[in-house]
Amino acid sequence: MAEAYIIDAVRTPRGIGKQGKGALAAEHPQHLAATVMRAIKDRNSLDTSTVDDVIWSVSTQDGMQAGDLGRMAALDAGYDITSSGTTLDRFCGGGITSVSLAAAQVMSGMEDCVVAGGTEMMSLTAAMMQEKMKAGIKPPMMGSYNERLQSVHPQSHQGICGDAIASMEGFTRQELDEVGHRSQQRAAAAIEAGKFEASVVPVTDDAGNVLLAKDEYPRPETTLDGLAELQPAFAKIADVPLDANGTTFRGLINQKYPDLEIEHFHHAGNSSGVVDGAAAVLVASKDYAQKNGLKPRARIVATANMGDDPTLMLNAPVPAAKKVLEKAGLTKDDIDLFEINEAFAVVAAKFVRDLELDWDKVNVNGGSIALGHPIGATGSILIGTVVDELERQDKRYGLVTMCAAGGMAPAIIVERVTDFVD
């Protein structure tokens, strides 16, 4: 089987995902996607007529984010019309999946060069959701079509799932606040040291004016005392009736776990940030790289997907990591760096505790609590982040995983390339 290599990875800065407040909130999601696709093309002198496909991740494929963003953004970025494109959805995990599918196509020999990545304009999706709620349109999992599914696999609000897991697993509010504080400290140190500069490409408007050149969301002034003062964010909605039957988010979890008393731990300071962003990863075969004078940065060693309890929703990263390690023939001790998406502090805390990891190897440049989580793009961002850091630390293996709605987690292991033969 052929090998699949990561040639390059770029991302936009992450802008605050609120209309009227974030620097990117007035842009079209296609523009963000085209920005990173164009950067991949220009940085690598890529002949886009040789790009076999574009595989793109967008979680909320509605409104301006609908209509196969992968194909439309590639055309917007000036790609040759022969470069096809498709768009997928694995909720939060799509940015890993787009890269995994690109690797699978290359490893199978069906394609030689694929651009993978993702986009999410959360300022846009949040506004759309609010409008739908005002119009009486329920979220997808609460719609009438899914009432039957909810009776078998009740699925609640992710934040309340995070609180339920923390309650079930015995985590304290202080432990989870420490995860949030660590994320802010590490992100601030990484930004101060310029660790993201090689991979972050500025977003400009059509006239070439820079809209955003650095991450907008981090709060480096965050303290543990300040986090301790924040009120839990999801207690307010846990018991609000969702339908005429009086169904609540808390009740959906207690439907399956009737004896679980859900305490509330998560808030804005220990949960992922709502942001806008995009990322792209160039994946190619060895023959393609040699023919086009490209030097790979990493090899894709193994990928895996895992499902877990949809009701708790956020617990699949640990089994996903174990599965991808087994596929790779590696152990956790072989992995030099881990990136576990900080959807909520409990996800990262449980990942580290259950796998008995050292925090010195996990999310070393901060995570989504500090930097934000543009749903469909985050997985691709984290892959680029771990490749950058493997190079910086002169390390070998990195593992990336993240929870996704529906109780899923994709995972990927990459190996830094040091001896590629031209």
Side-chain angles (χ1 to χ4, degrees), residues 47-112:
D47 177 358
T48 57
S49 69
T50 66
V51 174
D52 294 305
D53 204 5
V54 173
I55 303 177
W56 215 247
S57 162
V58 179
S59 182
T60 302
Q61 295 179 30
D62 195 2
M64 287 189 285
Q65 291 199 156
D68 192 357
L69 198 64
R71 170 61 170 173
M72 297 301 107
L75 294 174
D76 195 3
Y79 279 42
D80 191 272
I81 60 171
T82 59
S83 297
S84 185
T86 190
T87 302
L88 61 86
D89 174 15
R90 197 192 290 275
F91 300 116
C92 297
I96 293 178
T97 296
S98 64
V99 177
S100 296
L101 291 179
Q105 287 293 90
V106 170
M107 294 172 76
S108 70
M110 294 296 102
E111 292 174 346
D112 293 303

Side-chain angles (χ1 to χ4, degrees), residues 100-265:
S100 296
L101 291 179
Q105 287 293 90
V106 170
M107 294 172 76
S108 70
M110 294 296 102
E111 292 174 346
D112 293 303
C113 178
V114 182
V115 175
T119 302
E120 205 77 41
M121 292 280 295
M122 295 186 73
S123 57
L124 176 66
T125 61
M128 288 193 296
M129 181 62 72
Q130 288 175 358
E131 289 300 314
K132 288 184 177 183
M133 294 293 281
K134 288 179 182 178
I137 302 173
K138 296 179 180 179
M141 288 312 301
M142 293 304 299
S144 58
Y145 181 80
N146 278 305
E147 288 178 359
R148 175 169 51 86
L149 180 60
Q150 286 284 33
S151 68
V152 179
H153 295 295
Q155 295 178 56
S156 186
H157 186 284
Q158 287 193 349
I160 298 167
C161 290
D163 287 343
I165 293 167
S167 301
M168 184 179 290
E169 297 287 343
F171 286 102
T172 67
R173 167 69 182 264
Q174 182 176 344
E175 286 176 307
L176 300 184
D177 281 354
E178 286 172 357
V179 174
H181 185 242
R182 182 185 298 111
S183 183
Q184 293 287 356
Q185 286 186 313
R186 289 182 171 185
I191 291 169
E192 179 68 24
K195 291 185 177 182
F196 301 140
E197 291 177 2
S199 297
V200 172
V201 295
V203 179
T204 62
D205 61 19
D206 291 337
N209 300 307
V210 175
L211 299 173
L212 188 64
K214 63 180 182 178
D215 292 307
E216 192 174 29
Y217 189 80
R219 297 178 175 87
E221 71 281 2
T222 299
T223 64
L224 279 171
D225 287 342
L227 292 176
E229 294 176 0
L230 297 177
Q231 293 298 309
F234 305 109
K236 299 176 183 177
I237 62 171
D239 298 305
V240 175
L242 301 171
D243 56 27
N245 298 321
T247 304
T248 65
F249 286 129
R250 188 191 305 277
L252 286 167
I253 295 175
N254 286 144
Q255 182 178 318
K256 188 167 184 179
Y257 299 94
D259 297 327
L260 177 62
E261 294 186 11
I262 303 173
E263 297 181 65
H264 296 285
F265 300 88

Side-chain angles (χ1 to χ4, degrees), residues 27-43:
E27 295 305 300
H28 195 289
Q30 181 177 302
H31 182 67
L32 265 63
T35 295
V36 290
M37 290 188 199
R38 189 178 298 112
I40 281 286
K41 171 174 67 75
D42 293 345
R43 283 162 54 121

